[in-house]
């Protein structure tokens, strides 16, 4: 039996607070899909409305507080094999499994797989398999009561159970505590010996590739034949024989003149097929996968500035331009290779080279890591601990050990895997979040991060670096979030202070920072139906999970932008402010290179429609923030930065080729006509993988009227940067500074905008007219006389219908908010 072998599944409620209107679920089951989740099954059956819509989240809390039974009946035909096992790749989460009335076992860990012996329990005809899932919310509460209270964020004690933490809700995530058979389930029959796992660890010895293939073998009780193992990779075949009963084996292969795997921007991503074959008498087994040959190191050795954080691939330091990745759908069984490709493409198109798989989510499916291997995106992989203290007592310790061993074994082959990270913010939490009093001396997870997990990585994946946590200073006697050492999270910006505070820091590496903004208008209004629409509307607040989130959106405007006067302006203002805040931070960090070695913005993606820190919303629409990231994460960046002696042009060249171009720097008028008051030209020379700081001449930096002048930096290759002497709230901008013309194209339309005065942060929102429409550019600044063409695709709306609507709120500028 396999999940795609025709077995029909059903699910029904077995106890819990099922509403009267759904009481039939206690008696009659509904069809279920495996792999799947109870929420998606109930939704497909028409039993519940879309959990993402309106205020349905609260109306459906009962699902996570109810226990559920999955059942299937299947035929089984005996074959020549002596051993049968039920293999569950993923059960979510507290489950009791019975086959033909016999209990096979109980589980309570979503993050690992299980094997159950079923030899002798299967019958030739009708077999009944039942998997009962206890309420995840009740189970977490019961485990907390039994073991004691360990501090955690958010509502539920997610740290008491090995289940996706954000499934219980987060400050961007919906509370939909799921249950179900979330990964494939099958019966395997075998005899003699089988391959239990394969870890093909690919490395380099000068120009040659070295593949250390490590196998775990499982033997039947009556097995007597020795096993022949064959490993084929890159045209090289290596063989060995092991005696019956050997539990582990290692085969080393050398591949001459191997092509190295590189992250994007540093080289190509050649991948090599690996075929492992096993033969023991008449019994055979096989495994296949792909590897990339590379080395990766983490340098945190102290230097004159404190302690760096440098990831190097094949000996070459990589400047990290990354984003944090959360589960891409609140219902993770809806994810597949296609959805992963779309999300990772969002990262690549924004010039990113690393994704951090955050510790409150899941170990993603192999599809995610395969795509990263193919496209050259490095993966920073958290172990699944986030924002909480964790008991180190049994049975949690053994569950963590089993899950970590399985995760490292499964993922270690991937060329993209750059770092194993022990936890998210838990070391920081212990130091600074008031945990020590309620813990009263009890363990809090330290043993995992400094003992268990590094030991597992050293044994099973010694080629990949390990970090105890994020943030971390790589010294037990230094504050874990010290800017001078290791990795830093910057969250006073957004939570307490203005985003100009970014410039007060000189971080060695920033692994979390960000700023909120709403999703696309069409995404927001597809789930929020308040009349009238308002930031503090009932349904709007369901889709704003951050503590005082809307107040922080308002406070975050500071002197940068005025407070909105309409809902349309609220949407545009807060999206624009989000983009500017994050871009401000990244431009500053990159100007510090080589002191700063990278940034990982929070966050790339959303898992439902929500106001959040994401650059791409829950419907896959790229927010203005995404376009800002594409600019500030470009291989070559120009940015104007203040320093002790005045303004400088900071030029970061993150390529292997020297950057030589002519720069024109001008001080111009914001008024119609755009008069040039001063202009200078010079040749910019920036070596490969370097940064340069060039001072402005005084004629450029000394305005006659700061409220009506600005600086433009324009390179001959088209790269630009701007500096404004005052914030927009004090800047003289012209109302209606541009005109627009619409032209039909074979797959949509173009909008060509011509500026008659300084046009700041020009943006087109075609989803306001058609939710299927997508635009290629955003946040464009134009001088008088400049033009820019937006390309709109995937639209179902004819250009003739939209010609008269290319005005506010479809076409927006910062000018709209000031004038």
């Amino acid at each position: 039996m396999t999940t795609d072998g025709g077995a029909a599944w059903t699910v029904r409620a077995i106890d819990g607070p099922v509403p009267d209107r759904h009481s039939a679920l206690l008696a009659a089951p509904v069809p279920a899909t495996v792999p799947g989740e109870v929420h998606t099954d109930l939704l497909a059956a028409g039993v519940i409305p879309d959990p993402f819509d309106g205020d349905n989240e609260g109306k459906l809390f009962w699902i996570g507080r109810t226990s559920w039974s999955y059942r299937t009946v299947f035929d089984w035909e005996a074959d020549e094999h002596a051993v049968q096992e039920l293999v569950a790749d993923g059960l979510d989460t507290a489950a009791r499994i019975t086959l033909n009335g016999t209990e096979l076992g109980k589980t309570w860990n979503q993050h690992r797989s299980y094997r159950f012996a079923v030899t002798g329990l299967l019958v030739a005809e009708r077999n009944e398999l039942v998997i009962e899932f206890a309420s995840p919310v009740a189970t977490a509460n019961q485990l907390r009561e039994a073991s004691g209270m360990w501090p955690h964020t958010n509502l539920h004690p997610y740290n008491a159970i090995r289940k996706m933490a954000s499934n219980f809700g987060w400050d961007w995530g919906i509370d939909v505590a799921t249950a179900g058979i979330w990964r494939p389930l099958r019966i395997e029959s075998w005899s003699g010996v089988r391959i239990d796992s394969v870890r093909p660890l690919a490395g380099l010895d000068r120009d040659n590739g070295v593949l250390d293939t490590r196998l775990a073998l499982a033997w039947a009780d009556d097995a007597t034949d020795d096993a022949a193992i064959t490993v084929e990779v890159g045209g090289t075949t290596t063989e060995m024989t092991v005696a019956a009963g050997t539990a582990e084996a290692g085969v080393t292969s050398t591949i001459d003149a191997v092509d190295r795997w590189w992250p994007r921007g540093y080289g190509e991503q050649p991948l090599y097929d690996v075929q492992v074959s096993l033969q023991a008498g008449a019994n055979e087994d096989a495994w296949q996968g792909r590897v990339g040959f590379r080395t990766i190191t983490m340098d945190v050795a102290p230097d004159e500035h404190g302690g760096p954080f440098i990831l190097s691939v094949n000996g070459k330091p990589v400047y990290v331009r990354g984003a944090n990745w959360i589960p891409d759908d609140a219902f993770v069984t809806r994810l597949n290779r296609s959805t992963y490709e779309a999300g990772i493409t969002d990262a690549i198109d924004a010039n990113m080279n690393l994704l951090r798989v955050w510790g409150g989510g899941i170990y993603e499916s192999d599809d995610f890591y395969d795509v990263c291997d193919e496209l050259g995106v490095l993966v920073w992989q958290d172990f699944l601990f986030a924002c909480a203290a964790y008991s180190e007592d049994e049975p949690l310790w053994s569950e963590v050990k089993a899950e970590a061993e399985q995760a490292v074994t499964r993922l270690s082959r991937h060329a993209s895997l750059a770092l194993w990270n022990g936890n998210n913010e838990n070391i920081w939490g212990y130091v600074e979040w008031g945990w020590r009093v309620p813990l009263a001396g009890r363990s809090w997870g330290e043993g995992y991060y400094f003992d268990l997990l590094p030991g597992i990585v050293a044994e099973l994946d010694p080629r990949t670096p390990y970090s105890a946590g994020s943030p971390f200073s790589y010294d037990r006697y230094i504050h874990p979030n010290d800017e001078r050492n290791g990795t830093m999270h910057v969250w006073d910006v957004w939570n307490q202070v203005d985003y100009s505070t970014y410039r007060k820091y000189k971080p060695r590496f920033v692994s979390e920072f960000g700023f909120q903004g709403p999703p696309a208008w069409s995404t927001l209004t597809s789930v929020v139906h308040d009349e009238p629409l308002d930031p503090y509307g009932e349904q709007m607040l369901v889709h704003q999970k951050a503590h005082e989130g809307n107040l922080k959106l308002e406070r975050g405007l500071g002197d940068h932008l005025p407070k909105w006067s309409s809902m349309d302006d609220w949407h545009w203002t807060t999206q624009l402010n989000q983009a500017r805040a994050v871009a401000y931070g990244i431009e500053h960090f990159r100007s510090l290179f080589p002191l700063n070695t990278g940034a990982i913005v929070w966050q790339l993606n959303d898992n439902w429609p929500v106001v959040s820190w994401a650059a791409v919303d829950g419907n896959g629409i790229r927010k203005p923030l995404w376009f800002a990231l594409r600019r500030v994460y470009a291989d070559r960046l120009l940015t104007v930065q203040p320093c002790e002696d005045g303004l400088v042009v900071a030029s970061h060249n993150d390529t292997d080729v020297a950057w030589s171009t002519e720069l024109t720097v001008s001080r111009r008028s914001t008024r119609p006509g755009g008069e040039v008051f001063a202009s200078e030209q010079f040749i910019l020379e920036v070596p490969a993988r370097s940064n340069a700081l060039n001072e402005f001449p005084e004629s450029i930096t000394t305005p006659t009227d700061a409220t009506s002048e600005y600086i433009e930096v324009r390179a001959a290759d088209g790269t630009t940067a701007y500096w404004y002497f005052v914030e927009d709230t004090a800047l003289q901008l012209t109302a209606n500074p541009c005109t627009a013309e619409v032209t039909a194209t074979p797959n949509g339309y173009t909008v060509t905008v011509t500026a008659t005065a300084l046009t700041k942060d020009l943006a087109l929102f075609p989803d306001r007219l058609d939710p299927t429409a997508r635009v290629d550019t955003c946040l464009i600044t134009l001088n008088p006389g400049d033009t820019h063409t937006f390309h709109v695709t995937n639209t179902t709306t004819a250009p003739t219908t939209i010609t008269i609507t290319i005005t506010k709120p479809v076409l927006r500028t910062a000018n709209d908010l000031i004038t």
Side-chain angles (χ1 to χ4, degrees):
M1 180 194 71
T2 63
T3 56
D4 57 356
W9 287 87
T10 60
V11 62
R12 70 177 180 89
I14 49 179
D15 65 52
V18 181
D20 291 342
R21 65 184 180 279
H22 296 311
S23 58
L25 284 172
L26 292 166
V30 298
T33 298
V34 173
E37 299 154 280
V38 65
H39 287 75
T40 53
D41 289 331
L42 298 179
L43 183 62
V47 175
I48 62 170
D50 183 356
F52 294 175
D53 192 52
D55 57 359
N56 289 338
E57 176 187 14
K59 297 174 182 176
L60 300 176
F61 280 161
W62 62 271
I63 298 174
R65 291 159 173 78
T66 297
S67 297
W68 300 91
S69 176
Y70 278 78
R71 177 181 179 272
T72 189
V73 174
F74 63 97
D75 293 332
W76 178 75
E77 184 176 341
D79 56 25
E80 72 278 11
H81 293 299
V83 180
Q84 288 78 43
E85 294 175 318
L86 177 68
V87 183
D89 287 340
L91 300 174
D92 177 18
T93 292
R96 176 177 178 267
I97 303 96
T98 60
L99 176 64
N100 297 329
T102 298
E103 181 178 304
L104 303 181
K106 294 180 179 179
T107 73
W108 64 291
N109 191 333
Q110 180 184 8
H111 304 308
R112 57 173 292 198
S113 62
Y114 296 88
R115 282 182 175 266
F116 304 99
V118 296
T119 307
L121 297 179
L122 294 165
V123 297
E125 296 181 356
R126 183 180 183 276
N127 293 270
E128 181 187 57
L129 178 63
V130 177
I131 304 181
E132 296 178 347
F133 292 94
S135 154
V137 173
T139 300
N141 287 331
Q142 290 163 7
L143 290 169
R144 176 185 60 183
E145 293 301 319
S147 63
M149 177 62 179
W150 269 259
H152 61 86
T153 55
N154 303 313
L155 176 62
H156 303 289
Y158 61 83
N159 52 339
I161 186 171
R162 296 311 295 160
K163 176 176 171 60
M164 181 171 72
S166 59
N167 201 206
F168 291 104
W170 214 260
D171 57 4
W172 41 259
I174 186 172
D175 183 348
V176 280
T178 57
I181 306 165
W182 79 290
R183 280 183 168 162
L185 185 81
R186 61 194 177 277
I187 288 174
E188 289 186 358
S189 294
W190 57 281
S191 299
V193 62
R194 66 172 176 82
I195 297 174
D196 190 58
S197 66
V198 177
R199 285 180 291 118
L201 305 179
L204 294 167
D205 181 7
R206 296 183 176 86
D207 292 332
N208 296 329
V210 178
L211 186 68
D212 182 11
T213 304
R214 304 183 185 184
L215 293 86
L217 306 177
W219 297 82
D221 292 339
D222 59 353
T224 58
D225 292 320
D226 293 348
I229 300 170
T230 303
V231 176
E232 299 177 67
V233 56
T236 298
T237 300
T238 310
E239 299 176 340
M240 74 174 300
T241 300
V242 298
T246 301
E248 296 182 352
V251 180
T252 300
S253 308
T254 300
I255 301 89
D256 295 337
V258 75
D259 292 325
R260 300 184 179 201
W261 184 97
W262 293 94
R264 61 178 305 274
Y266 289 78
E268 300 301 316
Q269 295 81 43
L271 296 171
Y272 289 75
D273 293 327
V274 179
Q275 179 72 43
V276 179
S277 303
L278 179 72
Q279 179 90 39
N283 302 305
E284 299 177 347
D285 201 359
W287 179 96
Q288 59 184 9
R290 291 182 303 173
V291 299
F293 290 91
R294 54 87 175 137
T295 63
I296 188 160
T297 58
M298 178 181 72
D299 179 8
V300 295
D303 60 20
E304 67 273 23
H305 303 291
F309 178 86
I310 303 171
L311 293 176
S312 296
V313 178
N314 302 326
K316 180 176 290 188
V318 174
Y319 186 85
V320 171
R321 295 175 268 153
N324 285 269
W325 173 275
I326 65 170
D328 207 30
D329 193 317
F331 302 116
V332 294
T333 59
R334 299 196 293 207
L335 300 174
N336 52 45
R337 182 178 171 96
S338 178
T339 61
Y340 283 124
E341 284 177 339
I344 295 166
T345 297
D346 283 330
I348 290 173
D349 288 351
N351 296 309
M352 296 178 185
N353 58 20
L354 181 144
L355 290 173
R356 175 188 173 210
V357 181
W358 167 74
I362 58 175
Y363 303 108
E364 298 286 351
S365 80
D366 285 321
D367 287 334
F368 173 86
Y369 305 95
D370 285 342
V371 174
C372 288
D373 288 346
E374 295 162 12
L375 300 181
V377 176
L378 295 171
V379 176
W380 164 323
Q381 176 67 58
D382 280 12
F383 286 100
L384 303 184
F385 301 89
C387 304
Y390 289 80
S391 168
E392 296 175 26
D393 298 332
E394 293 292 356
L396 193 64
W397 180 276
S398 292
E399 284 295 334
V400 169
K401 182 175 185 292
E403 110 187 16
E405 289 174 340
Q406 287 188 4
V408 176
T409 295
R410 178 170 70 91
L411 302 181
S412 58
R413 70 174 175 87
H414 289 282
S416 57
L417 183 63
L419 184 75
W420 289 102
N421 181 60
N423 72 86
N424 176 72
E425 298 189 342
N426 296 348
I427 301 171
W428 185 16
Y430 179 75
V431 169
E432 200 168 87
W433 296 358
W435 292 358
R436 283 177 286 180
V437 170
L439 283 171
R442 294 177 298 161
S443 62
W444 53 274
E446 182 180 26
Y448 297 131
Y449 318 136
F450 293 101
D451 182 16
L452 178 65
L453 298 176
I456 290 172
V457 172
E459 177 187 359
L460 301 180
D461 188 16
R463 69 175 196 150
T464 303
Y466 173 83
S467 169
S470 181
F472 191 55
S473 292
Y474 302 95
D475 190 307
R476 300 288 289 275
Y477 298 99
I478 300 176
H479 191 287
N481 202 39
D482 177 42
E483 66 174 314
R484 297 164 297 180
N485 294 279
T487 59
M488 182 183 192
H489 292 192
V490 182
W491 283 119
D492 56 352
V493 175
W494 169 252
N495 281 315
Q496 290 112 17
V497 298
D498 186 78
Y499 69 70
S500 60
T501 302
Y502 281 132
R503 284 199 182 129
K504 295 181 180 179
Y505 291 112
K506 293 185 177 180
R508 306 306 301 270
F509 188 97
V510 187
S511 46
E512 270 193 31
F513 69 106
F515 209 88
Q516 262 204 359
W521 184 267
S522 62
T523 299
L524 187 68
T525 55
S526 71
V527 294
V528 174
H529 315 291
D530 296 319
E531 291 290 346
L533 202 62
D534 184 86
Y536 292 90
E538 182 178 355
Q539 291 186 14
M540 179 70 78
L541 292 178
V542 173
H543 294 81
Q544 166 57 281
K545 295 298 184 181
H547 175 64
E548 297 183 344
N550 282 352
L551 291 174
K552 292 174 182 177
L553 285 174
E554 182 175 345
R555 186 186 67 219
L557 297 179
D559 294 327
H560 310 294
L561 291 167
K563 186 179 176 182
W564 53 85
S565 58
S566 68
M567 189 62 190
D568 286 328
D569 281 356
W570 171 84
H571 186 263
W572 167 227
T573 303
T574 52
Q575 279 203 334
L576 176 59
N577 204 48
Q578 177 189 34
R580 286 186 176 181
V582 174
Y584 185 103
I586 293 174
E587 289 187 60
H588 169 62
F589 302 148
R590 290 189 68 174
S591 75
L592 299 174
F593 179 84
L595 180 75
N596 172 269
T597 55
I600 308 177
V601 68
W602 186 272
Q603 64 210 65
L604 177 65
N605 57 327
D606 270 331
N607 70 355
W608 74 306
V610 65
V611 180
S612 83
W613 295 263
V616 181
D617 74 20
N619 285 359
I621 297 180
R622 295 168 171 179
K623 294 158 63 172
L625 170 60
W626 182 90
F627 292 94
L629 287 172
R630 181 172 66 176
R631 178 181 65 82
V632 298
Y633 272 160
D635 291 346
R636 291 170 169 170
L637 174 71
L638 289 178
T639 175
V640 181
Q641 295 290 319
C643 66
E644 293 180 0
D645 298 324
L647 296 178
V648 298
V649 179
S651 312
H652 187 197
N653 176 22
D654 192 23
T655 75
D656 286 326
V657 179
W659 186 12
S660 179
T661 187
E662 185 177 67
L663 284 191
T664 301
V665 295
S666 305
R667 178 166 54 86
R668 307 187 59 151
S669 172
T670 65
R671 297 186 175 96
E675 181 181 355
V676 177
F677 299 119
S679 183
E680 302 283 350
Q681 291 181 327
F682 62 91
I683 299 299
L684 176 70
E685 299 282 357
V686 190
R689 309 292 178 187
S690 297
N691 195 26
L693 302 177
N694 290 277
E695 294 183 4
F696 284 95
E698 187 176 349
S699 62
I700 300 296
T701 60
T702 308
T704 303
D705 180 358
T707 68
S708 65
E709 298 176 28
Y710 68 103
I711 295 173
E712 179 192 44
V713 180
R714 185 176 294 272
D717 62 11
T719 311
T720 58
Y722 297 90
W723 175 266
Y724 300 91
F725 298 101
V726 297
E727 296 288 353
D728 278 16
T729 48
L731 192 63
Q732 296 185 38
L733 292 173
T734 301
N736 303 316
C738 56
T739 59
E741 181 179 344
V742 181
T743 304
T745 64
N747 61 345
Y749 56 91
T750 63
V751 178
T752 299
V753 178
T754 302
T756 56
L758 173 65
T759 302
K760 201 174 177 190
D761 291 316
L762 178 68
L764 183 72
F765 298 106
D767 73 290
R768 300 281 306 228
L769 306 173
D770 181 351
T772 69
R774 300 293 183 266
V775 67
D776 66 330
T777 49
C778 188
L779 302 183
I780 306 299
T781 293
L782 300 177
N783 295 316
D786 289 349
T787 63
H788 177 76
T789 299
F790 295 99
H791 297 267
V792 179
T793 55
N794 298 331
T795 179
T796 58
T797 306
T800 51
T801 7
I802 60 106
T803 300
I804 60 172
T805 63
I806 300 299
T807 57
K808 290 193 304 184
V810 178
L811 187 68
R812 299 301 308 248
T813 69
N815 302 49
D816 303 341
L817 305 174
I818 308 303
T819 56

